[in-house]
Amino acid sequence: MHIDPSTANRFTFLDSEHPEQGELLPGRDLFTVAGYFEPTQALIVQGCLVAAGIPAVVADANLVQAHFLWANALGGVRIRVPQCHVQESLQIIAAFERGEFALDEDTDIGTDTGTDEKT
């Protein structure tokens, strides 16, 4: 595990060039691709992965939420994905961190575009 200098609350478990060296859970093919100190941030990233069709799960979110000071000892809130989705998930996480999924400040997310209107 190493601290990612690009963000203060995220750390990575996988080297994007050598994903086979990631943390493998015993009895499963889930790899930890990222970790966050804030459960909310991990859940947002998990939502991006799931929206992209990657079956991502969040580990230890409730424990870190209840005992925030334990976050370092636990390894934070971890996002885990199946081995076959590791590369794609790392690309999506990198895109998220670059701000590619950010909305403009004046974006009205409550506006109906009319594409689903029934006449």
Side-chain angles (χ1 to χ4, degrees), residues 2-5 12-13 16 23 25 29 45 51 56-57 65 69 71 93-94 99 101 105 107 114-115 118-119:
H2 68 277
I3 301 296
D4 184 349
T12 57
F13 287 85
S16 59
E23 176 189 357
L25 293 175
D29 72 337
V45 173
V57 295
Q65 187 73 32
L69 296 176
I93 292 169
F101 302 130
E105 288 184 26
T107 300
T115 56
K118 294 182 181 180
T119 55

Side-chain angles (χ1 to χ4, degrees), residues 86-107:
V86 167
Q87 287 298 330
E88 184 181 4
S89 66
L90 292 173
Q91 292 170 355
I92 291 170
I93 292 169
F96 176 81
E97 290 177 354
R98 286 191 303 269
E100 293 182 18
F101 302 130
L103 298 175
D104 293 332
E105 288 184 26
D106 60 347
T107 300

Side-chain angles (χ1 to χ4, degrees), residues 37-70:
F37 291 112
E38 298 173 7
T40 305
Q41 186 73 11
L43 292 168
I44 291 170
V45 173
Q46 180 212 18
C48 291
L49 294 172
V50 169
I54 298 172
V57 295
V58 173
D60 297 327
N62 293 333
L63 190 57
V64 169
Q65 187 73 32
H67 304 285
F68 186 74
L69 296 176
W70 294 3

